[in-house]
Amino acid sequence: MQFAFLQSIPPSSFYPQDFKQIKGRAMKLSLQQCMVFVGSIGLAIPALADQGNVQLGWVVSANTSYYQDVGDEFHQLPLIIAEYDQFYWQAVRGGYRFFNGENHQVAVEVRRTFDGYESDDSSALAGMARRYGAWEAGVAHEFGLLGGQLTTQIMQDVSVKHQGTSVRVNYERPLLIKPTYLVTWYTGAEHWDRDKTHYYFGVRPGEATAARPAYRADSSHILIAGCNAVKQLSPRLLLLVSTEYQTFSGTVKESPLTERHDEWAAHGGIFYQF
């Protein structure tokens, strides 16, 4: 039982051009601060075929929350991964790679975010108008660098929810490579502009109370670090485990809605390739 994409890549020769081979098949997905997750999920998904690949998985998650009195949460949901030529769909984001260079790729991308909350999520959020997730669209660029993969995304709300923009830079690199399993680590940062930050962490004048003053949130940034592990159980069955830590900047910490400025999340799942 072998990972097809690892059979001819010894660790001593694992340079950026080789990482491109594995990155096309080891895709990291993110669901940040879901209404069902209220957190983030990072998964390394190996595809065992180059084209026409479809995978169905079931993922469970546990995470903390920024928002007051929300507490730890435990959730599960199905995910679908599909690849065909230059088109892809990875759980909640999809796109078209319109440029494939020797060491980098550029794609137009759309994603569904699940940031936000409902007023009955906790007593501290009572009286707040619901904050919705959004559809965002933009450009993603992947570049092989120092044996790893540097990814940059620029995304804009196209669903008229937060109407803001975010920019994310992420670097992922293999930590351990074996014939039937792979471990990677990653780190990155994401910037939210004022509109997006205020929508999710601000308090409008009409929502203010004696215990919750009006608050105009400024732009913010997030620092992210995590680790992904994937184990091949059979030629078509994959086991995944992931953990991630992220911390927001001071403008989120100072919001009357939050009780902490960092989050932990852990995830596990099984994927089957058809």
Side-chain angles (χ1 to χ4, degrees), residues 86-88 93-100 104-110 137-142 152-155:
Q86 304 307 313
F87 293 94
Y88 60 91
R93 68 186 183 101
Y96 174 77
R97 301 182 184 98
F98 62 87
F99 180 82
N100 272 305
H104 64 107
Q105 300 177 336
V106 183
V108 290
E109 190 169 282
V110 61
V139 178
H141 179 231
E142 295 183 350
T152 304
Q153 295 174 306
I154 302 175
M155 307 297 289

Side-chain angles (χ1 to χ4, degrees), residues 8-193:
S8 60
I9 307 178
S12 59
S13 63
F14 205 71
Y15 294 108
Q17 61 268 30
D18 300 312
F19 190 82
K20 182 179 177 182
Q21 299 176 34
I22 193 173
K23 188 61 177 179
R25 303 170 177 87
M27 299 167 287
K28 187 169 70 62
L29 316 176
S30 286
L31 298 173
Q32 294 186 339
Q33 293 171 274
C34 296
M35 287 178 289
V36 262
F37 264 72
V38 197
S40 64
I41 184 168
L43 298 177
I45 308 288
L48 303 180
D50 287 334
Q51 297 182 4
N53 164 41
V54 177
Q55 297 179 59
L56 177 63
W58 192 266
V59 177
V60 295
S61 173
N63 59 268
T64 59
S65 175
Y66 294 108
Y67 295 105
Q68 288 190 42
D69 301 330
V70 171
D72 298 339
E73 298 217 337
F74 303 88
H75 298 284
Q76 54 183 322
L77 80 166
L79 294 179
I80 297 175
I81 316 298
E83 289 268 336
Y84 187 79
D85 290 334
Q86 304 307 313
F87 293 94
Y88 60 91
W89 179 258
Q90 301 171 6
V92 294
R93 68 186 183 101
Y96 174 77
R97 301 182 184 98
F98 62 87
F99 180 82
N100 272 305
E102 181 179 353
N103 202 37
H104 64 107
Q105 300 177 336
V106 183
V108 290
E109 190 169 282
V110 61
R111 70 181 181 187
R112 173 65 179 176
T113 69
F114 294 87
D115 308 278
Y117 54 82
E118 296 187 46
S119 61
D120 59 359
D121 284 347
S122 77
S123 58
L125 297 173
M128 296 291 297
R130 181 178 176 180
R131 301 303 200 263
Y132 293 87
W135 283 99
E136 298 179 343
V139 178
H141 179 231
E142 295 183 350
F143 179 72
L145 179 66
L146 300 176
Q149 192 82 6
L150 181 68
T151 304
T152 304
Q153 295 174 306
I154 302 175
M155 307 297 289
Q156 169 67 41
D157 175 25
V158 293
S159 58
V160 197
K161 294 297 189 294
H162 59 74
Q163 303 184 49
T165 302
S166 60
V167 179
R168 176 165 177 152
V169 178
N170 192 85
Y171 181 73
E172 185 171 17
R173 196 178 194 280
L175 180 64
L176 184 63
I177 304 172
K178 295 295 182 181
T180 59
Y181 65 90
L182 167 70
V183 180
T184 70
W185 62 267
Y186 63 92
T187 185
E190 185 166 347
H191 175 81
W192 289 13
D193 69 1

Side-chain angles (χ1 to χ4, degrees), residues 236-255:
R236 294 186 176 273
L237 196 62
L238 304 169
L239 174 67
L240 299 128
V241 178
S242 176
T243 184
E244 181 173 288
Y245 173 79
Q246 59 177 253
T247 177
F248 255 110
S249 58
T251 186
V252 170
K253 181 180 180 181
E254 295 164 2
S255 169

